[in-house]
């Protein structure tokens, strides 16, 4: 027999872990609602061209990381490698622009990138993120960043994280800077890696993202983007910084932060943690004022971020999570075959009333079932044995104080309801 295993770079989230996921997801839902964001869920796969048109033909994602295939109807499809493009597609397709002048959306879900698996880097991973449409003003940038920070600080991570902020300006600024950067890099071209040589032609700003030591040292003397800001770029960036200060959000300005995707304009930001090792980015985002139009919609400014859920969970220590495992209210013990119909019926009535009831389905001995009830932390046990069956009774034992009483089977639901009030 072949033992089947999960695919490299994917992970099973077992019950021990899934309660942490639920805890984190609850916080995301709660805080997003506090800021007026509504959840959006888009399909796991989309047409391939959605991503090549938005993320950038030359990006790592499009050149080597997408899981794509040709469908039987000759359409090229891709498992989503990121969610901004999908959300923008949905925003355009459903004319969400017409519903209100600003749309605030958030998502939680899986993504797929064929990267080399390592700690903090998977082939199926999960992100939560927000995308907000309609405002080109700096208070919108601040709102998005403050929301990101609030979620992470709610999780107790604010001492472990670092917010890096930059503005990559509007198109005019970026094209002037691109030329200046190319001029600076040209004499060093022969020293650059093959990837950077290619980027020199296609998207030189992305060379600033390099992890190559030699390139990092060459770039130390490279021109910085802030020298190319227009008045509008400067004003917007200054406002964002002022609003973050007013919200008590600490940040470092990093003029070399560009982010790997093509669609960003003006504000870009990243939250990292030195406790994460080489894959230190927790969350990244920025403004993308042209993407809605680029994907066929009416010109609409927008800004968002995406955060890696696995990386957040890697940073969270058990003690930070304060999660108590769900425990049943009642453990139902019935080891007499004749009692099973009644036990099923009573257990169902109790569940309908909202109680958590676990029943043994192995017909184990009374002793074994009692041990199980204690092990899983049940508060009460109900026992339906031969003597109880004869008299239409049921025995109730409180596992906290070991008190035991007999109650009529017909009265048991009322008994628990009164107890609850
Ligand atoms: P990006 O969409 O590349 O800006 O990524 C946003 C966030 O998603 C990163 O900061 C990471 O936390 C997370 N992330 C990106 N790629 C991966 C991956 N392959 N495995 C796990 N998390 C990832």
């Amino acid at each position: 027999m072949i033992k089947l295993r999960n695919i490299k770079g994917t992970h099973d989230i077992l019950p021990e872990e899934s309660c942490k996921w639920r805890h984190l997801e609850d916080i995301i839902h709660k805080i997003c609602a506090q800021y007026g964001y509504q959840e959006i869920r888009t399909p796991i796969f989309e047409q391939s061209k959605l991503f090549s048109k938005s993320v950038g033909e030359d990006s790592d994602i499009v050149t080597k990381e997408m899981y794509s295939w040709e469908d039987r109807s000759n359409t090229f499809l891709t498992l989503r490698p990121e969610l901004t493009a999908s959300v923008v597609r949905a925003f355009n397709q459903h004319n969400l622009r017409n519903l209100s002048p600003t749309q605030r959306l958030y998502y939680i879900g899986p993504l797929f990138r064929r990267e080399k698996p390592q700690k903090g880097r998977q082939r199926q991973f999960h992100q939560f993120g927000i995308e907000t449409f309609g405002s080109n003003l700096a208070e919108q940038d601040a709102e998005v960043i403050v929301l990101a920070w609030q979620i992470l600080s709610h999780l107790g991570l604010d001492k472990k994280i670092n917010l890096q902020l930059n503005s990559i300006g509007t198109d005019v600024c970026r094209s002037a800077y691109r030329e200046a950067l190319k001029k600076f890099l040209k004499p060093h071209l022969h020293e650059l890696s093959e990837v950077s040589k290619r980027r020199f032609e296609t998207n030189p700003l992305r060379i600033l993202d390099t992890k190559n030591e030699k390139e990092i040292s060459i770039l130390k003397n490279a021109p910085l983007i802030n020298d190319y800001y227009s008045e509008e770029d400067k004003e917007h960036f200054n406002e964002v910084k002022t609003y973050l200060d007013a919200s008590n959000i600490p940040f470092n300005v990093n003029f070399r932060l560009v982010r790997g995707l093509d669609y960003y304009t003006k504000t870009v930001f990243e939250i990292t943690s030195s406790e994460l090792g080489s894959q230190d980015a927790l969350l990244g985002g920025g403004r993308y004022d042209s993407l809605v139009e680029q994907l066929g919609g009416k010109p609409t400014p927008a800004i968002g971020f995406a955060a890696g859920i696995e990386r957040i969970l890697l940073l969270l220590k058990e003690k930070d999570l304060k999660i108590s495992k769900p425990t049943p209210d009642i453990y139902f013990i019935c080891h007499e075959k004749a009692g099973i119909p009644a036990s099923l019926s009573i257990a169902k009535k109790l569940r309908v009333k909202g109680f958590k009831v676990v029943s043994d389905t192995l017909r184990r001995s009374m002793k074994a079932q009692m041990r199980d009830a204690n092990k899983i932390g049940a508060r009460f046990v109900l026992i339906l044995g031969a003597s109880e069956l004869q008299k239409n009774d049921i025995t109730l034992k409180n596992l906290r104080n070991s008190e035991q009483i007999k109650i009529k089977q017909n009265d048991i639901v009322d008994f628990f309801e009164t107890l609850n009030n």
Side-chain angles (χ1 to χ4, degrees):
M1 275 278 276
I2 315 166
K3 249 193 176 168
L4 294 174
R5 295 185 60 88
N6 62 316
I7 291 166
K8 193 172 148 193
T10 68
H11 287 268
D12 297 312
I13 302 162
L14 301 177
E16 193 67 29
E17 284 290 307
S18 64
C19 55
K20 297 182 197 162
W21 284 70
R22 284 249 297 278
H23 174 75
L24 175 56
E25 286 162 8
D26 287 348
I27 290 172
I28 296 166
H29 290 302
K30 190 173 124 204
I31 295 181
C32 286
Q34 286 170 352
Y35 284 74
Y37 284 68
Q38 291 181 297
E39 189 181 8
I40 180 164
R41 301 185 189 200
T42 61
I44 300 287
F45 60 99
E46 300 267 1
Q47 288 194 53
S48 305
K49 61 182 169 208
L50 172 65
F51 303 109
S52 50
K53 275 175 85 169
S54 56
V55 177
E57 297 281 2
D58 183 49
S59 60
D60 285 346
I61 291 181
V62 173
T63 51
K64 51 183 193 206
E65 294 170 2
M66 294 205 307
Y67 284 98
S68 302
W69 71 99
E70 190 176 355
D71 195 42
R72 289 186 189 178
S73 55
N74 302 335
T75 327
F76 286 93
L77 302 177
T78 293
L79 292 181
R80 61 187 191 194
E82 64 114 44
L83 260 149
T84 302
S86 304
V87 174
V88 172
R89 191 234 353 104
F91 175 83
N92 286 343
Q93 183 177 333
H94 303 287
N95 295 316
L96 298 185
R97 195 174 189 274
N98 297 344
L99 299 183
S100 70
T102 49
Q103 272 289 318
R104 295 181 164 91
L105 303 170
Y106 76 98
Y107 57 78
I108 306 178
L111 296 114
F112 307 84
R113 293 184 195 170
R114 202 177 187 290
E115 293 190 271
K116 194 158 177 249
Q118 53 175 273
K119 187 174 169 226
R121 195 199 266 166
Q122 298 171 202
R123 290 181 167 177
Q124 175 173 339
F125 62 101
H126 299 73
Q127 288 184 341
F128 76 87
I130 67 172
E131 312 293 351
T132 161
F133 300 90
S135 169
N136 59 6
L137 299 175
E139 49 267 47
Q140 187 64 76
D141 305 39
E143 176 186 285
V144 166
I145 298 173
V146 173
L147 191 162
W149 190 270
Q150 190 177 331
I151 290 181
L152 298 174
S153 30
H154 192 95
L155 291 163
L157 295 177
D158 44 334
K159 299 283 177 295
K160 298 182 180 177
I161 55 177
N162 173 15
L163 167 64
Q164 310 228 29
L165 185 71
N166 191 17
S167 167
I168 53 169
T170 39
D171 285 350
V172 181
C173 155
R174 262 197 320 286
S175 51
Y177 178 58
R178 199 176 292 126
E179 287 318 306
L181 191 60
K182 281 182 90 167
K183 200 167 156 200
F184 168 83
L185 285 171
K186 198 148 190 186
H188 299 281
L189 207 51
H190 62 285
E191 299 170 81
L192 301 186
S193 65
E194 286 312 309
V195 179
S196 294
K197 276 185 191 142
R198 201 183 68 231
R199 286 183 175 155
F200 181 84
E201 298 304 334
T202 52
N203 190 349
L205 262 67
R206 297 236 18 240
I207 301 177
L208 298 176
D209 252 352
T210 183
K211 299 273 184 288
N212 176 319
E213 290 296 332
K214 190 163 181 203
E215 293 179 350
I216 292 175
S217 97
I218 295 172
L219 286 165
K220 278 199 178 116
N221 298 319
L224 293 174
I225 192 146
N226 54 320
D227 288 329
Y228 298 83
Y229 289 160
S230 65
E231 279 311 307
E232 182 203 334
D233 294 334
K234 260 186 229 162
E235 198 184 321
H236 187 91
F237 195 30
N238 284 338
E239 271 188 65
V240 174
K241 288 186 281 185
T242 308
Y243 301 155
L244 289 179
D245 281 336
S247 311
N248 265 331
I249 307 290
F251 60 87
N252 297 318
V253 172
N254 174 1
F255 291 123
R256 293 184 198 280
L257 179 72
V258 285
R259 313 252 322 116
L261 317 180
D262 269 5
Y263 46 63
Y264 290 114
T265 52
K266 290 191 182 164
T267 312
V268 288
F269 57 95
E270 210 162 79
I271 295 184
T272 54
S273 172
S274 54
E275 291 188 20
L276 276 177
S278 64
Q279 302 304 312
D280 65 349
L282 267 187
L283 173 160
R287 209 168 240 297
Y288 49 93
D289 288 346
S290 320
L291 187 61
V292 174
E293 192 180 6
Q294 206 177 308
L295 292 178
K298 294 214 175 95
T300 310
I303 175 166
F305 72 74
I309 296 191
E310 282 84 356
R311 291 196 196 166
I312 293 177
L313 290 173
L314 271 176
L315 260 191
L316 286 172
K317 300 274 167 351
E318 297 290 329
K319 64 176 173 40
D320 298 327
L321 280 165
K322 298 181 200 92
I323 298 174
S324 45
K325 274 207 193 130
T327 49
D329 302 310
I330 301 157
Y331 190 100
F332 211 118
I333 297 182
C334 176
H335 46 91
E336 295 287 329
K337 191 174 174 191
I340 289 173
S343 76
L344 287 174
S345 152
I346 297 169
K348 184 182 166 221
K349 283 183 194 148
L350 286 164
R351 291 181 187 123
V352 167
K353 294 290 179 193
F355 296 99
K356 288 181 261 166
V357 187
V358 171
S359 301
D360 174 271
T361 48
L362 295 168
R363 295 193 205 157
R364 288 178 291 181
S365 71
M366 168 84 170
K367 206 171 142 199
Q369 294 196 42
M370 226 9 153
R371 208 182 305 127
D372 199 24
N374 277 303
K375 191 172 149 204
I376 64 176
R379 215 176 135 202
F380 295 97
V381 285
L382 285 176
I383 306 163
L384 199 53
S387 66
E388 285 89 354
L389 272 173
Q390 257 179 10
K391 297 181 197 147
N392 284 332
D393 281 343
I394 196 156
T395 299
L396 169 88
K397 183 169 182 182
N398 182 334
L399 290 183
R400 303 273 192 280
N401 59 16
S402 297
E403 273 172 16
Q404 192 164 309
I405 48 167
K406 277 204 165 53
I407 306 179
K408 285 284 159 225
Q409 285 175 20
N410 280 342
D411 296 337
I412 196 71
V413 175
D414 284 348
F415 174 87
F416 275 107
E417 285 208 298
T418 324
L419 201 73
N420 230 10
N421 290 330

